[in-house]
């Protein structure tokens, strides 16, 4: 049997050859007998994932099998976890959470299709700010009930509004969001 290659990640600014290197490695693996279902290659851009798929199809001489792992990073994660886009919180869910807590949500779920990441404009309403705070705190392992005072990316007005509730809107929001 073929020995698995170690995981490889390519980092760098746009135009530094990441995709070319990954494409070359993908082609080498396929030409050396590795099955397309045994390879995982991901990128943030949909256009690049489509190029992976096109090149792989050319090398194997046909359509890619269902369940292949040549996808965007998010699509690959969804596939591995057995999720669909219906499993993702969207603006409808966000509005419902905010309405239940009695705050405004004016976020926008518009995604930049050409960006290197899924760039969602989060809006500027209190609800959008609390979703930002929640995500920031989860990613940094900060306590959101305390962090609202120190997270620099929150608007001063948001801090004042949270302060007027003695900070109690934060745990109420978190509880509603996690229950939702």
């Amino acid at each position: 049997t073929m020995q698995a290659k170690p995981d490889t990640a390519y980092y760098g600014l746009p135009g530094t050859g990441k995709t070319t290197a990954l494409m070359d490695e993908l082609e080498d693996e396929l030409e050396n007998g590795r099955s397309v279902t045994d390879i995982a290659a991901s990128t943030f851009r949909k256009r690049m994932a489509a190029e992976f798929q096109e090149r792989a199809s050319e090398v194997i001489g046909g359509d890619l099998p269902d369940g292949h792992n040549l996808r965007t990073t998010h699509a690959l994660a969804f596939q591995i976890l057995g999720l669909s886009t219906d499993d993702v919180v969207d603006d409808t869910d966000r509005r419902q959470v905010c309405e239940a807590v009695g705050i405004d949500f004016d976020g926008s779920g518009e995604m930049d299709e050409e960006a290197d990441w899924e760039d969602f404009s989060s809006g500027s309403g209190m609800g959008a700010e609390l979703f930002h705070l929640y995500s920031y705190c989860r990613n940094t392992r900060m306590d959101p009930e305390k962090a609202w005072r120190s997270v620099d990316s929150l608007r001063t007005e948001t801090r004042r509004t949270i302060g007027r509730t003695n900070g109690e809107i934060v745990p109420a929001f978190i509880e509603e969001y996690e229950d939702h």
Side-chain angles (χ1 to χ4, degrees):
T1 65
M2 262 186 141
Q3 176 126 353
K5 277 184 80 173
D7 293 341
T8 304
Y10 296 98
Y11 301 98
L13 297 172
T16 57
K18 299 178 303 290
T19 301
T20 300
L22 189 55
M23 289 290 203
D24 290 347
E25 198 162 322
L26 172 64
E27 286 181 13
D28 287 347
E29 288 294 305
L30 292 171
E31 288 169 355
N32 288 319
R34 175 97 45 210
S35 168
V36 73
T37 57
D38 292 336
I39 300 170
S42 70
T43 180
F44 285 112
R45 288 184 161 188
K46 289 180 181 180
R47 186 170 43 90
M48 292 293 98
E51 193 172 330
F52 290 159
Q53 294 167 10
E54 183 180 323
R55 288 246 191 119
S57 292
E58 290 171 7
V59 173
I60 66 170
D63 293 336
L64 295 178
D66 291 340
H68 67 82
N69 300 313
L70 309 176
R71 304 183 179 279
T72 64
T73 303
H74 294 98
L76 183 57
F78 272 55
Q79 179 175 309
I80 290 168
L81 295 171
L83 300 173
S84 74
T85 54
D86 293 339
D87 297 316
V88 177
V89 173
D90 62 14
D91 281 353
T92 301
D93 297 302
R94 290 181 188 97
R95 276 191 188 81
Q96 290 171 354
V97 168
C98 290
E99 286 173 11
V101 180
I103 57 177
D104 291 331
F105 176 75
D106 70 348
S108 168
E110 295 300 314
M111 184 178 73
D112 180 351
E113 294 287 333
E114 293 300 314
D116 281 335
W117 61 91
E118 293 192 22
D119 181 24
F120 290 90
S121 170
S122 62
S124 58
M126 180 69 173
E129 293 271 313
L130 286 173
F131 283 110
H132 168 76
L133 175 68
Y134 178 83
S135 296
Y136 180 87
C137 290
R138 290 218 26 169
N139 292 337
T140 61
R141 294 186 171 94
M142 290 178 73
D143 178 355
E145 293 180 38
K146 297 174 186 167
W148 65 266
R149 292 180 177 94
S150 61
V151 174
D152 292 337
S153 53
L154 288 182
R155 295 177 303 136
T156 302
E157 181 180 323
T158 298
R159 276 189 246 280
R160 285 188 194 127
T161 302
I162 293 171
R164 285 193 292 274
T165 72
N166 293 321
E168 292 184 23
I169 191 71
V170 176
F173 171 83
I174 291 169
E175 182 177 347
E176 182 65 32
Y177 185 34
E178 289 179 348
D179 285 349
H180 185 82

